Amino acid sequence: MSLFAADNGENDLFMSRTDPENPLGTHIPFSFELEGKVWPTLEHYFQGMKFTDENRQEKVRAADTPAKAGKLGRKRHKSLRRDWKQVRETVMTRGVYVRCRANPELAAALLDTGEQKIVENSNYDYFWGCGHDRRGENRYGQVLMNVRAKLREEQEERG
């Protein structure tokens, strides 16, 4: 079974970042170390980085599941970073890259997508996903494709 679904026979890969079985998603349980801590999933890291308060960050990091980490990250709190909208894409990119470097099987899964356009198939998210009318920004798909290009470049440099 494929983790991706083709849309109208096109070559694009439509995926869900919240699918815990998808190696390109944020919920798959592959840990990595970043910011001096081990994060159980990319979702934990991303949600934790929304906060400047160490205690709040730690609550998110220690959440039992990625869904709980997401819920904690969506709670608006006074310690939410003021610059979050400006840095969220950089945070996600760093998380995806470091996780791929720490888990070669995830890097391989990303590289195996070849040159295909990767689309975060979210009906509700017009920033990270494509939205229900496919007019969203698909920033998560862009992050994955940018990291894929960087990994490929590093692979070529190593020969």
Side-chain angles (χ1 to χ4, degrees), residues 73-89:
R74 281 188 294 279
K75 285 186 178 176
R76 291 301 168 229
H77 192 265
K78 66 180 183 226
S79 68
L80 182 71
R81 291 176 65 152
R82 292 184 191 276
D83 65 347
W84 182 243
K85 284 199 175 199
Q86 290 78 41
V87 301
R88 62 186 171 175
E89 202 167 339

Side-chain angles (χ1 to χ4, degrees), residues 28-44:
I28 192 163
F30 280 83
S31 64
F32 59 97
E33 189 175 337
L34 195 54
E35 310 294 341
K37 299 175 182 166
V38 175
W39 300 91
T41 68
L42 181 57
E43 187 70 15
H44 283 82

Side-chain angles (χ1 to χ4, degrees), residues 29-129:
F30 280 83
S31 64
F32 59 97
E33 189 175 337
L34 195 54
E35 310 294 341
K37 299 175 182 166
V38 175
W39 300 91
T41 68
L42 181 57
E43 187 70 15
H44 283 82
Y45 171 72
F46 179 76
Q47 297 298 338
M49 289 298 98
K50 289 181 176 180
F51 303 103
T52 54
D53 174 27
E54 282 287 325
N55 293 330
R56 190 99 173 128
Q57 226 178 58
E58 186 55 27
K59 267 187 184 171
V60 174
R61 193 187 71 79
D64 291 348
T65 65
K68 286 181 183 173
K71 192 173 182 178
L72 288 169
R74 281 188 294 279
K75 285 186 178 176
R76 291 301 168 229
H77 192 265
K78 66 180 183 226
S79 68
L80 182 71
R81 291 176 65 152
R82 292 184 191 276
D83 65 347
W84 182 243
K85 284 199 175 199
Q86 290 78 41
V87 301
R88 62 186 171 175
E89 202 167 339
T90 301
V91 168
M92 184 67 86
T93 301
R94 235 176 130 218
V96 169
Y97 176 77
V98 170
R99 183 183 66 163
C100 282
R101 296 293 304 206
N103 298 280
E105 56 272 50
L106 297 182
L110 182 54
L111 288 166
D112 284 349
T113 63
E115 294 298 320
Q116 292 176 296
K117 179 179 178 182
I118 302 170
V119 180
E120 159 57 1
N121 193 23
S122 172
N123 283 331
Y124 306 104
D125 192 332
Y126 279 76
F127 179 76
W128 294 112

